[in-house]
C-alpha cells in the first residue's frame, strides 16, 4: 500500500514490521449542537487542530460504569491537563473515608498499590485536601464534573476527548475576525459537537522519523507483539517525556525525530535528524509582555530576565479613581492628567475637568450628603496642581473618569531593575536594543506593557556538531519528538546560554495567563455609587 501524508510518500510493503507508538487525533469534524444534539440544519465541517478560538468543555452526561473504564478512556497523567474530575451518584465507603455522592473527585495518577492497579484521587473539604486510592475494579456511576477552564482545540483533542466518545464544547472567545474561509457561521457563539478523526503514530525498522497513518487507510495488519523483539525499534520521546526524567540522567544526547514548525530562532535549527545535547531541566522566570495598541490583534512576548536591552517608561492609563489607588506606590508620587470630565453629585467631593492635574495621595473615607441622608464612602485624597499652588481635593472612588500618567523619570532601566523596583503591570518602550542578538524583536514595538512574571519549564540544549552556544527551549509550547542516543556527552558544562525573547500566539498568551493563575479571577470592581 502506498500513500502520501504531509507531502511524504510512504510505502507499507507486505511483511513490513511497524511498531505503533500512539494514537493521535488528526482533525475534528464539528457539527452545530442544539440541546445536546446535532442540529438538523447543521452540516459537518472539518476543523484543523490549530483552528483559532478558546472553548469550554461541556460535561458529558453519559456515566462511566467503573474506575477501569475511566482509566481506559480518559487521559490521566502528570501534566496540567491530566487531572480530570468526576463525581459518584452514590456514596463510596473506604476504610477511613466516605466519599459523598456528588462530591468532586480529582483523578491524579494510575499506579500499582499492594499488587492492585488503582487511581490516586483527592477531594477538597474545608480548603483541606484528602488523598485516597480507588481500585480499577470499583464499580458505580461516575459522571464528569463541570469544567470552568478554557482550552484551545488542540488541548481538547489531546486531553479532553475520551476514547470512543464525542465531545460538546462551547465557544468562549473568538481570537480572529470572521472571514469567508471560516467554516463556522458568522458571529457564531454556540456549542459544537466534535467527532475526532484519528491517525496512528508508528516507527519502522529502518526509518528515523515518525510515520503517520490515517486510521481509515485500507490495509490489513497482524499483531505480532508477543513474538517480536520490540526493543530493536527507536523510542520517540516528547519534550514532556524528557522533562519527566530524573535530574541524574542529564546531560544526554538525542536525535530529533520530528522538529517543531516555525522559522523563529532557535526553533529553525531544530530539524529532523539533527543531534543535540540536552544538558538539564529547570524552571525559569519570564516576563509576560503585550504590545500597547488600541486595536487588535496585539503581539505577545515572553522576555527572559537576562534580556540585555534597556527600557524607558511610558505613561499608564487609568479608567477610574480606584485604579489610581491600586497604582500608587511608596517609591514615587503618582502624577496624572484627567482625560475625561466628571461632575460630582456631592458638594463635598471634587468635580473634574479635562486637563486637571493631580498628585495622588491616599485612600480614605468621607461623609457625604446623599438624598438628605449622611453616608460614609471611600474617597481618594489628591492634590490638584494649580499654576502657583496645590489644592487638596477628594475624588469619589467609584468615579469613572479617565487619567493618563505624567512621567518625570527619564532613567533607562534593565528588565531585572523594573521587576525589582516597580509593581506590574508597567508600561515601557525599548530605548537601547539588545546588541547580543542579531535581531531584537522588541525594538520595533512602539510600546510594551509588562503584565506579570511567570515561571515555566525549560530544557537547556545545544548542537553536538558545533556547541558554541546553548538555548532554552520551552517544554509545553514546542512540539518536538526525539530519541536518545547511547553517546557520551563531550561537554558536560553547557556553553554560553542564549535566552531568546519568545513571541507567542494569542492562544498561548491565554494559556500562559491561565497556568500562572489557575483560576483567573477578574480584579476587584471599584465601589459603586451609594444607594
Amino acid at each position: 500500500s502506498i500513500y502520501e501524508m504531509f507531502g511524504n510518500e510512504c510505502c507499507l510493503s507486505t511483511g513490513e514490521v511497524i511498531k505503533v507508538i500512539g494514537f493521535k487525533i488528526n482533525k475534528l469534524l464539528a457539527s452545530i449542537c442544539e440541546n445536546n444534539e446535532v442540529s438538523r440544519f447543521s452540516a459537518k465541517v472539518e476543523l484543523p487542530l490549530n483552528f483559532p478560538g478558546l472553548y469550554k468543555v461541556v460535561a458529558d452526561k453519559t456515566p462511566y460504569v467503573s474506575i477501569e473504564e475511566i482509566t481506559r478512556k480518559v487521559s490521566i497523567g502528570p501534566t496540567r491537563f491530566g487531572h480530570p474530575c468526576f463525581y459518584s451518584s452514590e456514596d463510596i465507603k473506604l476504610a477511613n473515608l466516605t466519599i459523598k455522592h456528588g462530591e468532586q473527585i480529582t483523578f491524579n495518577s494510575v499506579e500499582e498499590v499492594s499488587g492492585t492497579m488503582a487511581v490516586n484521587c483527592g477531594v477538597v473539604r474545608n480548603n483541606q485536601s484528602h488523598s485516597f486510592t480507588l481500585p480499577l475494579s470499583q464499580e458505580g456511576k461516575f459522571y464528569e464534573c463541570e469544567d470552568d477552564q478554557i482550552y484551545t482545540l488542540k488541548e481538547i483533542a489531546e486531553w479532553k476527548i475520551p476514547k470512543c466518545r464525542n465531545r460538546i464544547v462551547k465557544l468562549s472567545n473568538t481570537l480572529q475576525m470572521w472571514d469567508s474561509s471560516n467554516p463556522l457561521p458568522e458571529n457564531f457563539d454556540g456549542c459544537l459537537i466534535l467527532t475526532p478523526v484519528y491517525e496512528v503514530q508508528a516507527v519502522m525498522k529502518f526509518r528515523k522519523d515518525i510515520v503517520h497513518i490515517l486510521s481509515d487507510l485500507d490495509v490489513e495488519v497482524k499483531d505480532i507483539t508477543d513474538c517480536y523483539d520490540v526493543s530493536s525499534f527507536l523510542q520517540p520521546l516528547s519534550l514532556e517525556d524528557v522533562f519527566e526524567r530524573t535530574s541524574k540522567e542529564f546531560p544526554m544526547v538525542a536525535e530529533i525525530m520530528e522538529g517543531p514548525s516555525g522559522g523563529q530562532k532557535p526553533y529553525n535549527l531544530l530539524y529532523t535528524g539533527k543531534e543535540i545535547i540536552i544538558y538539564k531541566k529547570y524552571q525559569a522566570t519570564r516576563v509576560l509582555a503585550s504590545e500597547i495598541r488600541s486595536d487588535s490583534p496585539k503581539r505577545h512576548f515572553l522576555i527572559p530576565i537576562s534580556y540585555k536591552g534597556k527600557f524607558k517608561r511610558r505613561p499608564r492609563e487609568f479608567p477610574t479613581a480606584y485604579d489610581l489607588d491600586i497604582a500608587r506606590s511608596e517609591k514615587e508620587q503618582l502624577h496624572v492628567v484627567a482625560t475625561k470630565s466628571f461632575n460630582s453629585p456631592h458638594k463635598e467631593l471634587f468635580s473634574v475637568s479635562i486637563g486637571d492635574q493631580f498628585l495622588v495621595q491616599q485612600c480614605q473615607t468621607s461623609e457625604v450628603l446623599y438624598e438628605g441622608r449622611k453616608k460614609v464612602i471611600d474617597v481618594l485624597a489628591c492634590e490638584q496642581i494649580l499654576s502657583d499652588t496645590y489644592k487638596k481635593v477628594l475624588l469619589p472612588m467609584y468615579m469613572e473618569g479617565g487619567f493618563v500618567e505624567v512621567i518625570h523619570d527619564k532613567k533607562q532601566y534593565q528588565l531585572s531593575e523594573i521587576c525589582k523596583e516597580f509593581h506590574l503591570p508597567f508600561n515601557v518602550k525599548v530605548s537601547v536594543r539588545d546588541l547580543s542578538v542579531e535581531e531584537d524583536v522588541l525594538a520595533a514595538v512602539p510600546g510594551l506593557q509588562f503584565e506579570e512574571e511567570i515561571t515555566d519549564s525549560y530544557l537547556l540544549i545545544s548542537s553536538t556538531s558545533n556547541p558554541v552556544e546553548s538555548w532554552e527551549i520551552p517544554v509545553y509550547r514546542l512540539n518536538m519528538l526525539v530519541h536518545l542516543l547511547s553517546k557520551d556527552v563531550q561537554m558536560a558544562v553547557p556553553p554560553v546560554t542564549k535566552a531568546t525573547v519568545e513571541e507567542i500566539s494569542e492562544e498561548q498568551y491565554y494559556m500562559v495567563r491561565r497556568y500562572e493563575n489557575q483560576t483567573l479571577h477578574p480584579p476587584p470592581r471599584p465601589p459603586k455609587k451609594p444607594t
Side-chain angles (χ1 to χ4, degrees), residues 1-3 10-14 16 18 204 211 213 217 219 221:
S1 175
I2 297 177
Y3 71 97
C10 182
C11 177
L12 297 180
S13 308
T14 302
E16 184 92 60
I18 302 168
M204 298 166 74
V211 180
I213 307 170
L217 183 70
V219 59
V221 295

Side-chain angles (χ1 to χ4, degrees), residues 16 59 65 112 126 164 179 194 208 263 279 327 336 338 364 380 400 447 450 490 501 504 507 511 530:
E16 184 92 60
V65 297
E112 192 174 318
N126 300 321
C164 307
D179 61 37
L194 302 179
K208 288 189 173 181
Y279 291 99
V336 295
Q364 60 188 59
L380 189 65
E400 290 189 14
F450 294 156
Q490 300 300 317
V501 174
I504 59 176
E507 284 102 331
M511 295 307 105

